[in-house]
Amino acid sequence: MIHVNVEETAFVEPDVRITSIFRVHPFTFTEGYRYLTAFIRELNEAVVGVRISDDVPIPAPSNSLLLLLDVLKSWLDGLPPENLDEEGGDPAFRKWHSLLSENSNSLLEDLLRPELYPAIIELSAYLIDSFGRPEEIDYGVGNQVNLVPESYADRAIVEKYTKDYLVFDAVNYIFQIKKGEFHEHSRELWNITAIHTWDRMNKGLLRMYEAEVLQKFSVVKRFRFGALFSFERRDDVPQEGGYATDEDSDLND
């Protein structure tokens, strides 16, 4: 988990750094990439053997985030879906996103301790970006690499356990947005049924998530970097290890 000394950190407005496909590989050697993948693995390990229906303690920081999400959800009551504009997305979503942009700073002030307010300039950008772009509807690149056991192709089993396990909840979502046979619309997930142990499947899908999501230009080109999510090279990566800086000629736009 990342720990930041607020007094010694110069927070900045996050900006886009992966402006070409040639910057995707350098991204994998950054501090930001290391922290992001470590966080994903921590989340993965934390839910092993835990049911959605289990009564688990909620830490205070997590509870504060849930309250923030409740506020964002409450805005939907006055913004019913409108006619879908294929080029510009749903007008109702654009209005909701505008509310988020206008209120992000105050929402974070309610969430954070005063001594953490200097970080809001970065956290606000990440909060806004986490809900997508107002000019289009994106159902989430990489949804199909959620982790699933062999029985995920059986709709009856999925529906039975969707309220208990994140795995089946994710697959149930795929069933809702995809039509046809599972092996046709989700071939990668179908292929991994040959793996018979959860540990091997889990590790393989984490690697797949990195390759098909975190290392795809179409996904990471919108990532914004600052002090919290840094594009700086990791200290343990030598220059000759494949990392290139913005000043390198082959990365210049």
mmCIF file of all heavy atoms in Angstrom, residues 4 10 22 39 44 79 81 83 85 96 100 105 118-119 122 125 129 132 141 157 163 165 175 178 182 210 215 238 246:
data_model
loop_
_atom_site.group_PDB
_atom_site.id
_atom_site.type_symbol
_atom_site.label_atom_id
_atom_site.label_comp_id
_atom_site.label_asym_id
_atom_site.label_seq_id
_atom_site.Cartn_x
_atom_site.Cartn_y
_atom_site.Cartn_z
ATOM 1 N N VAL A 4 2.040 8.240 1.682
ATOM 2 C CA VAL A 4 2.503 9.527 1.180
ATOM 3 C C VAL A 4 2.680 10.500 2.331
ATOM 4 O O VAL A 4 1.796 10.647 3.181
ATOM 5 C CB VAL A 4 1.500 10.115 0.163
ATOM 6 C CG1 VAL A 4 1.962 11.487 -0.304
ATOM 7 C CG2 VAL A 4 1.329 9.170 -1.017
ATOM 8 N N ALA A 10 4.792 17.332 -3.444
ATOM 9 C CA ALA A 10 4.310 18.446 -4.270
ATOM 10 C C ALA A 10 3.204 17.924 -5.183
ATOM 11 O O ALA A 10 3.471 17.338 -6.235
ATOM 12 C CB ALA A 10 5.457 19.026 -5.089
ATOM 13 N N PHE A 22 4.191 3.930 -27.958
ATOM 14 C CA PHE A 22 5.566 3.684 -27.535
ATOM 15 C C PHE A 22 5.785 3.970 -26.049
ATOM 16 O O PHE A 22 6.839 3.644 -25.506
ATOM 17 C CB PHE A 22 6.525 4.530 -28.376
ATOM 18 C CG PHE A 22 6.436 4.237 -29.846
ATOM 19 C CD1 PHE A 22 5.823 5.135 -30.706
ATOM 20 C CD2 PHE A 22 6.933 3.056 -30.369
ATOM 21 C CE1 PHE A 22 5.720 4.869 -32.058
ATOM 22 C CE2 PHE A 22 6.833 2.774 -31.721
ATOM 23 C CZ PHE A 22 6.222 3.681 -32.570
ATOM 24 N N PHE A 39 -1.945 -3.108 -5.693
ATOM 25 C CA PHE A 39 -3.267 -2.868 -5.119
ATOM 26 C C PHE A 39 -4.283 -3.874 -5.653
ATOM 27 O O PHE A 39 -5.104 -4.420 -4.902
ATOM 28 C CB PHE A 39 -3.712 -1.444 -5.444
ATOM 29 C CG PHE A 39 -5.066 -1.088 -4.897
ATOM 30 C CD1 PHE A 39 -5.312 -1.086 -3.534
ATOM 31 C CD2 PHE A 39 -6.104 -0.751 -5.754
ATOM 32 C CE1 PHE A 39 -6.561 -0.758 -3.022
ATOM 33 C CE2 PHE A 39 -7.357 -0.419 -5.258
ATOM 34 C CZ PHE A 39 -7.586 -0.421 -3.890
ATOM 35 N N ASN A 44 -7.502 -8.772 -4.678
ATOM 36 C CA ASN A 44 -7.746 -10.148 -5.082
ATOM 37 C C ASN A 44 -7.584 -11.108 -3.905
ATOM 38 O O ASN A 44 -8.416 -11.985 -3.670
ATOM 39 C CB ASN A 44 -6.791 -10.508 -6.219
ATOM 40 C CG ASN A 44 -6.910 -11.951 -6.660
ATOM 41 O OD1 ASN A 44 -6.013 -12.749 -6.400
ATOM 42 N ND2 ASN A 44 -7.999 -12.300 -7.314
ATOM 43 N N LEU A 79 -32.226 12.294 -12.440
ATOM 44 C CA LEU A 79 -31.661 12.233 -13.794
ATOM 45 C C LEU A 79 -31.973 10.883 -14.445
ATOM 46 O O LEU A 79 -31.082 10.048 -14.624
ATOM 47 C CB LEU A 79 -30.144 12.449 -13.744
ATOM 48 C CG LEU A 79 -29.665 13.823 -13.287
ATOM 49 C CD1 LEU A 79 -28.159 13.806 -13.053
ATOM 50 C CD2 LEU A 79 -30.023 14.881 -14.327
ATOM 51 N N PRO A 81 -32.581 8.082 -17.314
ATOM 52 C CA PRO A 81 -31.919 7.925 -18.621
ATOM 53 C C PRO A 81 -32.708 8.605 -19.729
ATOM 54 O O PRO A 81 -33.938 8.580 -19.748
ATOM 55 C CB PRO A 81 -31.885 6.401 -18.812
ATOM 56 C CG PRO A 81 -31.959 5.852 -17.424
ATOM 57 C CD PRO A 81 -32.830 6.796 -16.655
ATOM 58 N N ASN A 83 -32.750 9.567 -24.176
ATOM 59 C CA ASN A 83 -32.479 8.866 -25.425
ATOM 60 C C ASN A 83 -30.980 8.790 -25.668
ATOM 61 O O ASN A 83 -30.262 9.774 -25.503
ATOM 62 C CB ASN A 83 -33.156 9.584 -26.599
ATOM 63 C CG ASN A 83 -34.669 9.496 -26.511
ATOM 64 O OD1 ASN A 83 -35.213 8.530 -25.975
ATOM 65 N ND2 ASN A 83 -35.357 10.502 -27.025
ATOM 66 N N ASP A 85 -27.640 8.892 -27.432
ATOM 67 C CA ASP A 85 -26.984 9.499 -28.582
ATOM 68 C C ASP A 85 -25.728 8.696 -28.855
ATOM 69 O O ASP A 85 -24.771 8.737 -28.085
ATOM 70 C CB ASP A 85 -26.631 10.957 -28.266
ATOM 71 C CG ASP A 85 -25.898 11.642 -29.412
ATOM 72 O OD1 ASP A 85 -25.569 10.957 -30.398
ATOM 73 O OD2 ASP A 85 -25.653 12.852 -29.308
ATOM 74 N N TRP A 96 -25.061 14.145 -15.116
ATOM 75 C CA TRP A 96 -24.583 13.572 -13.855
ATOM 76 C C TRP A 96 -23.077 13.790 -13.715
ATOM 77 O O TRP A 96 -22.585 14.159 -12.647
ATOM 78 C CB TRP A 96 -24.903 12.080 -13.815
ATOM 79 C CG TRP A 96 -24.492 11.405 -12.548
ATOM 80 C CD1 TRP A 96 -25.235 11.246 -11.416
ATOM 81 C CD2 TRP A 96 -23.217 10.803 -12.274
ATOM 82 N NE1 TRP A 96 -24.508 10.580 -10.458
ATOM 83 C CE2 TRP A 96 -23.269 10.304 -10.951
ATOM 84 C CE3 TRP A 96 -22.047 10.644 -13.009
ATOM 85 C CZ2 TRP A 96 -22.190 9.649 -10.362
ATOM 86 C CZ3 TRP A 96 -20.967 10.002 -12.426
ATOM 87 C CH2 TRP A 96 -21.043 9.506 -11.122
ATOM 88 N N LEU A 100 -20.715 15.775 -10.889
ATOM 89 C CA LEU A 100 -19.541 15.201 -10.247
ATOM 90 C C LEU A 100 -18.346 16.140 -10.368
ATOM 91 O O LEU A 100 -17.630 16.383 -9.386
ATOM 92 C CB LEU A 100 -19.213 13.844 -10.875
ATOM 93 C CG LEU A 100 -17.928 13.165 -10.412
ATOM 94 C CD1 LEU A 100 -17.984 12.866 -8.920
ATOM 95 C CD2 LEU A 100 -17.679 11.885 -11.206
ATOM 96 N N ASN A 105 -14.465 18.487 -5.450
ATOM 97 C CA ASN A 105 -13.624 19.034 -4.380
ATOM 98 C C ASN A 105 -14.335 19.008 -3.032
ATOM 99 O O ASN A 105 -13.761 18.600 -2.012
ATOM 100 C CB ASN A 105 -13.202 20.465 -4.713
ATOM 101 C CG ASN A 105 -12.113 20.514 -5.769
ATOM 102 O OD1 ASN A 105 -11.656 19.489 -6.257
ATOM 103 N ND2 ASN A 105 -11.690 21.707 -6.129
ATOM 104 N N PRO A 118 -4.337 19.109 0.652
ATOM 105 C CA PRO A 118 -3.455 19.405 -0.487
ATOM 106 C C PRO A 118 -3.499 18.347 -1.587
ATOM 107 O O PRO A 118 -3.195 18.651 -2.746
ATOM 108 C CB PRO A 118 -2.066 19.471 0.159
ATOM 109 C CG PRO A 118 -2.337 19.907 1.564
ATOM 110 C CD PRO A 118 -3.611 19.205 1.938
ATOM 111 N N ALA A 119 -3.885 17.125 -1.235
ATOM 112 C CA ALA A 119 -3.918 16.047 -2.230
ATOM 113 C C ALA A 119 -5.171 16.090 -3.096
ATOM 114 O O ALA A 119 -5.267 15.363 -4.089
ATOM 115 C CB ALA A 119 -3.833 14.686 -1.533
ATOM 116 N N GLU A 122 -5.157 16.238 -6.965
ATOM 117 C CA GLU A 122 -4.953 14.998 -7.713
ATOM 118 C C GLU A 122 -6.128 14.037 -7.533
ATOM 119 O O GLU A 122 -6.611 13.438 -8.495
ATOM 120 C CB GLU A 122 -3.655 14.321 -7.272
ATOM 121 C CG GLU A 122 -2.416 15.131 -7.610
ATOM 122 C CD GLU A 122 -1.128 14.334 -7.478
ATOM 123 O OE1 GLU A 122 -1.191 13.089 -7.435
ATOM 124 O OE2 GLU A 122 -0.054 14.956 -7.422
ATOM 125 N N ALA A 125 -9.215 14.658 -9.742
ATOM 126 C CA ALA A 125 -9.096 14.192 -11.128
ATOM 127 C C ALA A 125 -9.358 12.695 -11.225
ATOM 128 O O ALA A 125 -10.039 12.224 -12.147
ATOM 129 C CB ALA A 125 -7.706 14.523 -11.665
ATOM 130 N N ASP A 129 -12.370 10.819 -13.238
ATOM 131 C CA ASP A 129 -12.017 9.874 -14.300
ATOM 132 C C ASP A 129 -12.543 8.468 -14.032
ATOM 133 O O ASP A 129 -12.775 7.695 -14.966
ATOM 134 C CB ASP A 129 -10.498 9.811 -14.466
ATOM 135 C CG ASP A 129 -9.939 11.056 -15.139
ATOM 136 O OD1 ASP A 129 -10.744 11.890 -15.598
ATOM 137 O OD2 ASP A 129 -8.701 11.191 -15.199
ATOM 138 N N GLY A 132 -15.653 7.347 -15.965
ATOM 139 C CA GLY A 132 -15.697 7.401 -17.417
ATOM 140 C C GLY A 132 -15.733 8.813 -17.959
ATOM 141 O O GLY A 132 -15.547 9.797 -17.241
ATOM 142 N N VAL A 141 -13.591 -1.419 -20.306
ATOM 143 C CA VAL A 141 -12.696 -2.298 -21.041
ATOM 144 C C VAL A 141 -12.149 -3.354 -20.098
ATOM 145 O O VAL A 141 -11.704 -3.068 -19.002
ATOM 146 C CB VAL A 141 -11.534 -1.491 -21.641
ATOM 147 C CG1 VAL A 141 -10.593 -2.407 -22.401
ATOM 148 C CG2 VAL A 141 -12.074 -0.407 -22.566
ATOM 149 N N ILE A 157 -26.324 -22.112 -12.542
ATOM 150 C CA ILE A 157 -25.389 -22.057 -11.418
ATOM 151 C C ILE A 157 -24.981 -20.615 -11.145
ATOM 152 O O ILE A 157 -24.892 -20.184 -9.992
ATOM 153 C CB ILE A 157 -24.151 -22.929 -11.713
ATOM 154 C CG1 ILE A 157 -24.553 -24.403 -11.775
ATOM 155 C CG2 ILE A 157 -23.074 -22.710 -10.651
ATOM 156 C CD1 ILE A 157 -23.408 -25.338 -12.089
ATOM 157 N N LYS A 163 -25.372 -13.820 -5.847
ATOM 158 C CA LYS A 163 -25.471 -12.956 -4.674
ATOM 159 C C LYS A 163 -24.464 -13.323 -3.589
ATOM 160 O O LYS A 163 -24.377 -12.636 -2.574
ATOM 161 C CB LYS A 163 -26.892 -13.005 -4.103
ATOM 162 C CG LYS A 163 -27.946 -12.417 -5.036
ATOM 163 C CD LYS A 163 -29.324 -12.427 -4.392
ATOM 164 C CE LYS A 163 -30.359 -11.809 -5.319
ATOM 165 N NZ LYS A 163 -31.725 -11.811 -4.708
ATOM 166 N N TYR A 165 -21.013 -14.697 -4.508
ATOM 167 C CA TYR A 165 -19.618 -14.641 -4.935
ATOM 168 C C TYR A 165 -19.402 -13.604 -6.035
ATOM 169 O O TYR A 165 -20.177 -13.523 -6.995
ATOM 170 C CB TYR A 165 -19.160 -16.013 -5.441
ATOM 171 C CG TYR A 165 -19.173 -17.080 -4.369
ATOM 172 C CD1 TYR A 165 -20.189 -18.036 -4.326
ATOM 173 C CD2 TYR A 165 -18.184 -17.118 -3.388
ATOM 174 C CE1 TYR A 165 -20.211 -19.007 -3.336
ATOM 175 C CE2 TYR A 165 -18.202 -18.089 -2.395
ATOM 176 C CZ TYR A 165 -19.218 -19.024 -2.375
ATOM 177 O OH TYR A 165 -19.241 -19.980 -1.390
ATOM 178 N N PHE A 175 -23.582 -12.254 -18.874
ATOM 179 C CA PHE A 175 -24.786 -12.859 -19.436
ATOM 180 C C PHE A 175 -25.836 -11.799 -19.773
ATOM 181 O O PHE A 175 -26.599 -11.936 -20.728
ATOM 182 C CB PHE A 175 -25.386 -13.866 -18.450
ATOM 183 C CG PHE A 175 -24.779 -15.239 -18.535
ATOM 184 C CD1 PHE A 175 -24.302 -15.876 -17.399
ATOM 185 C CD2 PHE A 175 -24.690 -15.903 -19.747
ATOM 186 C CE1 PHE A 175 -23.745 -17.141 -17.474
ATOM 187 C CE2 PHE A 175 -24.134 -17.176 -19.832
ATOM 188 C CZ PHE A 175 -23.660 -17.794 -18.693
ATOM 189 N N LYS A 178 -24.326 -9.674 -23.004
ATOM 190 C CA LYS A 178 -23.923 -10.418 -24.192
ATOM 191 C C LYS A 178 -25.032 -11.374 -24.620
ATOM 192 O O LYS A 178 -25.769 -11.901 -23.787
ATOM 193 C CB LYS A 178 -22.645 -11.225 -23.914
ATOM 194 C CG LYS A 178 -21.434 -10.387 -23.532
ATOM 195 C CD LYS A 178 -20.833 -9.682 -24.724
ATOM 196 C CE LYS A 178 -19.519 -9.016 -24.347
ATOM 197 N NZ LYS A 178 -18.871 -8.372 -25.502
ATOM 198 N N PHE A 182 -22.003 -18.830 -24.585
ATOM 199 C CA PHE A 182 -20.892 -18.281 -23.815
ATOM 200 C C PHE A 182 -19.561 -18.478 -24.530
ATOM 201 O O PHE A 182 -18.712 -17.584 -24.546
ATOM 202 C CB PHE A 182 -20.840 -18.937 -22.432
ATOM 203 C CG PHE A 182 -20.000 -18.179 -21.446
ATOM 204 C CD1 PHE A 182 -20.543 -17.169 -20.676
ATOM 205 C CD2 PHE A 182 -18.649 -18.472 -21.290
ATOM 206 C CE1 PHE A 182 -19.766 -16.463 -19.772
ATOM 207 C CE2 PHE A 182 -17.867 -17.774 -20.398
ATOM 208 C CZ PHE A 182 -18.429 -16.768 -19.629
ATOM 209 N N GLU A 210 -3.267 -7.849 -16.805
ATOM 210 C CA GLU A 210 -2.162 -6.928 -17.080
ATOM 211 C C GLU A 210 -1.942 -6.774 -18.582
ATOM 212 O O GLU A 210 -1.799 -5.663 -19.100
ATOM 213 C CB GLU A 210 -0.877 -7.431 -16.420
ATOM 214 C CG GLU A 210 -0.822 -7.230 -14.919
ATOM 215 C CD GLU A 210 0.583 -7.392 -14.371
ATOM 216 O OE1 GLU A 210 1.475 -6.632 -14.794
ATOM 217 O OE2 GLU A 210 0.794 -8.292 -13.533
ATOM 218 N N GLN A 215 -1.822 -3.023 -20.203
ATOM 219 C CA GLN A 215 -0.772 -2.814 -21.195
ATOM 220 C C GLN A 215 -1.343 -2.570 -22.590
ATOM 221 O O GLN A 215 -0.654 -2.765 -23.594
ATOM 222 C CB GLN A 215 0.187 -4.011 -21.193
ATOM 223 C CG GLN A 215 0.932 -4.171 -19.867
ATOM 224 C CD GLN A 215 1.800 -5.409 -19.805
ATOM 225 O OE1 GLN A 215 2.131 -5.997 -20.824
ATOM 226 N NE2 GLN A 215 2.177 -5.819 -18.602
ATOM 227 N N PRO A 238 17.003 -0.322 -13.883
ATOM 228 C CA PRO A 238 18.089 0.417 -14.534
ATOM 229 C C PRO A 238 17.625 1.003 -15.856
ATOM 230 O O PRO A 238 16.677 0.516 -16.470
ATOM 231 C CB PRO A 238 19.165 -0.653 -14.744
ATOM 232 C CG PRO A 238 18.398 -1.931 -14.829
ATOM 233 C CD PRO A 238 17.235 -1.771 -13.882
ATOM 234 N N ASP A 246 10.452 10.616 -21.293
ATOM 235 C CA ASP A 246 9.777 11.462 -22.270
ATOM 236 C C ASP A 246 10.761 12.132 -23.216
ATOM 237 O O ASP A 246 10.416 12.509 -24.328
ATOM 238 C CB ASP A 246 8.971 12.547 -21.548
ATOM 239 C CG ASP A 246 7.727 11.974 -20.897
ATOM 240 O OD1 ASP A 246 7.420 10.807 -21.180
ATOM 241 O OD2 ASP A 246 7.083 12.693 -20.117
#
